[in-house]
Amino acid sequence: MNDDLDALAQLQDPVRRALYDYVVAAGGGVGRGPAAEAVGVSRTLAAHHLDKLVEAGLLTAGLRAQEKKGPGSGRPAKVYARAKTERAVSLPPRDYGVMASLLAEVVDVLGAGERAERAARRAGERLGRLHRDEPVDGVLRERGYEPYAEDDVLRMRNCPFHALSEEQPVLVCAMNLALCRGVLAGMGAEPGRAALDPRPGECCVTVALDLGEPSKTNED
């Protein structure tokens, strides 16, 4: 837990937090120049903070070749993306992940997937009713999905259940879909707007946009 505390402490610096948020929102592959411009600091200062976030394990760094080839093309550009390692802090220490993993295994062994999906749907409906007059993307963002608009759908950069989905992908993705459909139903929206459309590195669920609905995503 100390490592997690040390890593998350890096985000107390406002510039460092702004750079981290920008890299996350961009989906990765962010260079030092665009990051510096986005948060209003010098490229040198941005590079310092970005590399500190890499040292803390919150970001990863890689190299992207310049588009121009041959002599004079310059060195590959350093780019940053969010690290896949999850960070969590609980005082005193708690480990809900182990229990969630055990429960998912029991559901799988008992063949109770459909019951689990119905439970997820009901939970989503309860949540949706609490946020009935809010934009769907805002509700999803609050639950950690990190939605962004692409064409006519909302895609999610983050799966809140990523670790568990690695162990039980079929069960977890089905429950995730049921949960999202329940949220839509509880908000008075069409549940069928949520669908499975997995993409590497992102959540398996997408939500079709309602073009007549106000959206926090479109305001960003």
Side-chain angles (χ1 to χ4, degrees):
M1 185 180 69
N2 288 338
D3 289 343
D4 286 349
L5 281 171
D6 291 342
L8 295 177
Q10 298 293 322
L11 298 177
Q12 290 185 336
D13 182 285
V15 173
R16 204 166 289 179
R17 179 56 188 261
L19 287 165
Y20 176 80
D21 289 343
Y22 177 73
V23 172
V24 170
V30 175
R32 291 170 168 175
E37 183 178 354
V39 304
V41 299
S42 70
R43 190 178 185 279
T44 301
L45 182 59
H48 168 75
H49 284 303
L50 288 167
D51 287 338
K52 286 294 183 182
L53 290 170
V54 171
E55 291 177 14
L58 295 171
L59 297 180
T60 59
L63 297 176
R64 180 172 59 201
Q66 301 287 358
E67 294 183 2
K68 181 181 177 182
K69 304 296 182 182
S73 60
R75 294 182 299 174
K78 195 169 188 179
V79 293
Y80 300 85
R82 175 170 49 187
K84 294 183 179 180
T85 303
E86 296 183 7
R87 301 286 183 178
V89 176
S90 177
L91 295 173
R94 300 282 190 262
D95 194 349
Y96 302 107
V98 170
M99 183 60 67
S101 177
L102 292 172
L103 291 172
E105 185 176 351
V106 170
V107 169
D108 184 53
V109 170
L110 295 179
E114 291 186 4
R115 293 184 180 181
E117 289 175 43
R118 289 196 293 270
R121 171 74 178 240
R122 291 193 297 270
E125 289 174 351
R126 290 193 295 270
L127 175 63
R129 286 193 290 271
L130 295 175
H131 301 275
R132 195 171 180 86
D133 298 323
E134 301 177 27
V136 171
D137 59 329
V139 176
L140 293 171
R141 184 177 291 106
E142 289 179 1
R143 306 308 299 176
Y145 284 93
E146 297 182 5
Y148 67 98
E150 181 180 282
D151 298 326
D152 57 351
V153 300
L154 287 174
R155 292 191 173 275
M156 323 290 181
R157 287 197 176 92
N158 182 54
C159 173
F161 319 110
H162 172 73
L164 197 56
S165 69
E166 294 284 291
E167 300 178 20
Q168 299 280 357
V170 175
L171 173 63
V172 174
C173 287
M175 291 183 67
N176 191 13
L177 176 61
L179 178 69
C180 290
R181 285 180 169 172
V183 169
L184 289 169
M187 298 179 72
E190 170 53 49
R193 286 168 55 187
L196 287 178
D197 187 9
R199 177 184 285 184
E202 296 190 355
C203 179
C204 60
V205 176
T206 62
V207 177
L209 286 169
D210 180 352
L211 299 182
E213 177 186 60
S215 168
K216 291 184 180 179
T217 296
N218 293 334
E219 294 171 1
D220 292 345

